[in-house]
Amino acid sequence: MGVCEIILLVIVAAILLDFIFLSAYCRIMPWLEKSQKEKNVKKMELKINEIDNIHGGKATSQDVVENTKNKQSKIKNFIWWLIFNYFYGIMRYSQICVSRFPSFAIRNLLYRLVFNMNITKKTVIYGDCEIRSPWNFNADNVVVANHCIIDARNGVFVANNVVFGGGVHIWTEEHEINDPYFSVTETHKAPVVIDEHAWICSDTTILPGVHVGKGAVLASRACATKDLEPFGVYGGIPAKKIEERNIDLRYNLSGKPTYYFY
């Protein structure tokens, strides 16, 4: 066996090992996230009661954070950092690399089997899309155009016959601008829900907690900060209703990509 064959074999083995690791990681993470969230809620309640009893007043979220930090073990912090930051970074980088693979069929297969996305064979995701926490992305007969960023850390739920234009950004958490530590608070985390036959046009943004109603349209370059009513057409920043859409929508997406290689 020559040098080139050995190098090729090592590369293929490394890719396969990476996919095996990612497949396990993306199936463990939903359970870990749920478990961690439940622990954080209980811990927050206990700490608020503890600090209230000590200070005789209302505890702020920052009081709770500081009190918790002082009692956490360094080893436990390192383990959680390894799981939620370092390994998550490997997963995220790998997903971006897969998104640039020149085959729709292979991308879709890897998204479902390796990254644990809750999608079907009818879900069309074009190239160069970044989907964060892919195990929280749920879609069926949907088309996602190129260069979209879908932040599914707190859940993104897309119904049938929804179309995303290119460059759509969906966010499910954001920083609190008035927090002294610029933290991402629990009140700024929420899933995004998009009902059937909605059209999310190119270069638009949807912020945490927004519910896009059935048949609604978010016009190009708009930013949705609040819920969009069914069959409404919204434009601007922040998005406002500008007209009504026809309610007699009969189309069904084919589930087949126009461009198989991108």
Side-chain angles (χ1 to χ4, degrees), residues 3 49 58 140 156:
V3 176
N49 292 332
K58 186 177 180 181
D140 188 359
V156 173

Side-chain angles (χ1 to χ4, degrees), residues 167-171 200-208 210 218-225 228 236-237 239:
V168 170
H169 288 188
I170 297 178
W171 305 105
I200 313 302
C201 298
S202 60
D203 299 316
T204 54
T205 300
I206 299 177
L207 296 186
V210 170
L218 184 62
S220 183
R221 298 295 178 91
C223 178
T225 61
L228 308 187
I237 303 175

Side-chain angles (χ1 to χ4, degrees), residues 123-170:
T123 307
V124 177
I125 303 176
Y126 284 100
D128 207 24
C129 290
E130 179 184 352
I131 302 177
R132 302 178 185 180
S133 298
W135 49 85
N136 292 328
F137 180 60
N138 305 268
D140 188 359
N141 196 6
V142 171
V143 172
V144 181
N146 308 98
H147 312 301
C148 292
I149 298 178
I150 300 176
D151 169 29
R153 284 175 291 178
N154 293 283
V156 173
F157 303 88
V158 188
N160 284 332
N161 298 309
V162 171
V163 176
F164 290 179
V168 170
H169 288 188
I170 297 178

